[in-house]
Amino acid sequence: MWQLIARVVNVAELRWLLAWFVAAAVLQGLTLACMIPLLRALFTRSGSLGTWLAVATALAVATVAIDTAAMIRSYRISVYEVCDTMIGRVADHVLRLPLGWFGARQEAAVANAMSREVNTLSHLASLLIPSLCNAFVVPLVLLAATAFVEWPLALIMACSIAPFALTWRRMSAATTRDNEMEDAASAAAAGRLIEFARLQPVLRATGRAGSWEPVRRALDDDAGATLAGLRAKGRPAQGFNLIANLTFALVLAAGLAAVTGYRLDAVAYLVLMAVCARMLLPLTKAAMYAAELNNAQVALRSLNEILSSQPLPEPTADAGAAAGGFAVQEPAGTGVELRDVSFAYEPGRPVLDGITLTAPQGAVTALAGPSGAGKSTILRLVARFWDADAGQVTIGGADVRAIPATRIMDLVSMVFQDTYLFDTTIRDNLRVARPGATDEELARAARRARLDRVIEALPHGWDTNVGPAGQSLSGGARQRVAIARAFLKDAPILLLDEITSALDGENESAITEVVNDLAQGRTVIVVAHRLTTIRRADQVAFLEPSPSGARVTEIGTPQELAAAGGSFASFTEAALASSRWKVR
């Protein structure tokens, strides 16, 4: 468990805290053990009463002082060393993961890590460690003390250690197994709920907004896993408590027999029984803390699963620093080239096969072809959302794997068909592109994107809240916000992914005009289905899918490809024919 903790939090602080709580528990056990000679001296009016009273008082003060100091420190560790450090490490790691990692299940895992797992592990320092120390260390100290007074009673206590250990082991195994099942079911249900939220437009269009079978099944599985876990954890816990109570009953009976046989005085017997009763409560509660301890272990495994996900490797100052690594290179320009690139999101399902393509600096390159030809994938490889399985992607002659991720993001602006806006004002949504932008720069970017007309029509202008994912704005308005971000960022490479395919004719015309302005002097790669976009390109690369992955089958100017009579000519003819359709 300590190895798991070490990857997530500052384990040195937890080890220090454990040592202090063990010390406090030992002192607490010694204080209770001192009650035996102290009460004996009290009832027999022995002259040693003062001595034992002083010793017990000193031990009690030391116990309270150390326990209080450790408890105060535990709260600080829970907040800063566990929660804060854990959130920071997970967040830093997630930010370095490729975007291909972020599916619904992974998003749910991150959400659980930042909420449920944080809450579980926040109890580790302030609740679990002190409670378990009290449950096990104090009884061991009292067992040793009992051996000096009446060794047969200590022997009975010692004989219970093996059954306790066996039951604890079984309880831990059952709890861990069921906690993992509960955690997996909870993550699956969360993932399905995220999908359910994303699919609302489709589900409502098909009349299934109120119920979706995969969500219902996932929630039923989650509830079933929770109930099964409660049943499985309950049986070992009851066995653990039964052993504790039987041990106490045997000690009680054996002590009474020792008193009646004149081997043990009544005062010592009463004190020993009081001490044993004091041991019983933390022992019976230990079963409950076992479940919490295993919850913590499951939480740590979930967090380590996220932290074990491999980010894309960053280049180093020295290529020899790591096997297969890349030395940092600075691009000599902004031209983009793909050299014999192959790629698959999943093994055995190729998307690109030997793609070779050059997007010249300062020119517009359109990617055309049927759906599933890997056009959007090419944009994401250029932006290094993933690494190619084979071949090379370069910017300005430098391999993207040799360019630091922050530098690539400085060079590239992206506008996609599905524009995501944060649930805040238009002003804040634009500043995502450049946080330090002035209001004047924001206004200029809005004018160039024709967003100023949209802002003027909004009730609160720049301070209008756009709602979750920008739902209070139309699709055209959201695209203008995304284009204004690109103007504000002013990156030399522009990647556009079907940004007008879902818009009406008026918005398409307006945004096409804006994009033409945005493309001036930039290296532009645009995925396009509309002929209005393709015709304005300096060159067109036509891709066709195949079982082995998509390939570039034609490349040239729109006029050259249209005259060649190949796949691109058929594609444009089909597009022209569809544009002539009329509803009668």
Side-chain angles (χ1 to χ4, degrees), residues 321-479:
F326 286 83
V328 174
Q329 298 178 30
E330 179 61 27
T334 59
V336 175
E337 186 177 359
L338 284 78
R339 302 170 186 165
D340 199 24
V341 169
S342 297
F343 178 74
Y345 293 105
E346 299 175 15
R349 301 180 63 181
V351 177
L352 302 177
D353 180 25
I355 296 290
T356 296
L357 170 67
T358 298
Q361 180 171 332
V364 177
T365 299
L367 304 179
S371 296
K375 302 182 295 296
S376 298
T377 300
I378 289 176
L379 298 189
R380 285 157 172 76
L381 290 176
V382 172
R384 211 194 172 203
F385 289 1
W386 295 273
D387 277 340
D389 297 330
Q392 190 178 38
V393 180
T394 68
I395 296 176
D399 193 306
V400 292
R401 291 168 292 185
I403 306 173
T406 52
R407 179 63 177 142
I408 292 177
M409 289 300 100
D410 288 340
L411 291 169
V412 174
S413 283
M414 295 162 282
V415 182
F416 299 120
Q417 177 182 347
D418 298 321
T419 299
Y420 186 91
L421 301 183
F422 295 97
D423 187 8
T424 182
T425 65
I426 290 183
R427 189 191 312 278
D428 290 338
N429 269 288
L430 257 63
R431 280 209 167 100
V432 168
R434 186 146 58 92
T438 65
D439 288 344
E440 182 181 345
E441 289 170 330
L442 294 178
R444 183 164 58 249
R447 284 195 301 272
R448 296 185 70 185
R450 313 300 192 268
L451 179 63
D452 54 337
R453 305 169 190 174
V454 176
I455 294 171
E456 289 171 2
L458 294 173
H460 302 291
W462 281 95
D463 296 317
T464 300
N465 193 296
V466 300
Q471 292 176 358
S472 65
L473 299 181
S474 68
R478 289 198 296 272
Q479 286 290 28

Side-chain angles (χ1 to χ4, degrees), residues 53-119:
L53 181 60
V55 171
T57 302
L59 288 171
V61 170
T63 301
V64 171
I66 292 177
D67 190 64
T68 302
M71 190 59 69
I72 292 172
R73 183 62 180 169
S74 74
Y75 292 133
R76 182 176 178 82
I77 290 173
S78 291
V79 173
Y80 295 106
E81 300 297 339
V82 176
C83 297
D84 188 55
T85 301
M86 184 183 76
I87 291 173
R89 288 190 182 179
V90 172
D92 289 344
H93 187 76
V94 166
L95 288 174
R96 294 187 291 116
L97 292 175
L99 289 187
W101 183 84
F102 291 92
R105 183 179 177 277
Q106 285 75 20
E107 290 175 12
V110 173
N112 275 345
M114 296 303 187
S115 55
R116 176 177 171 175
E117 319 301 13
V118 168
N119 182 60

Side-chain angles (χ1 to χ4, degrees), residues 12-63:
E13 288 284 351
L14 284 178
R15 289 185 187 278
W16 177 91
L17 189 69
L18 176 63
W20 279 94
F21 275 124
V22 167
V26 169
L27 287 171
Q28 185 181 155
L30 291 174
T31 303
L32 291 171
C34 280
M35 293 297 102
I36 300 172
L38 174 63
L39 292 177
R40 265 182 165 173
L42 175 65
F43 286 104
T44 59
R45 298 185 180 182
S46 169
S48 61
L49 176 61
T51 302
W52 285 114
L53 181 60
V55 171
T57 302
L59 288 171
V61 170
T63 301

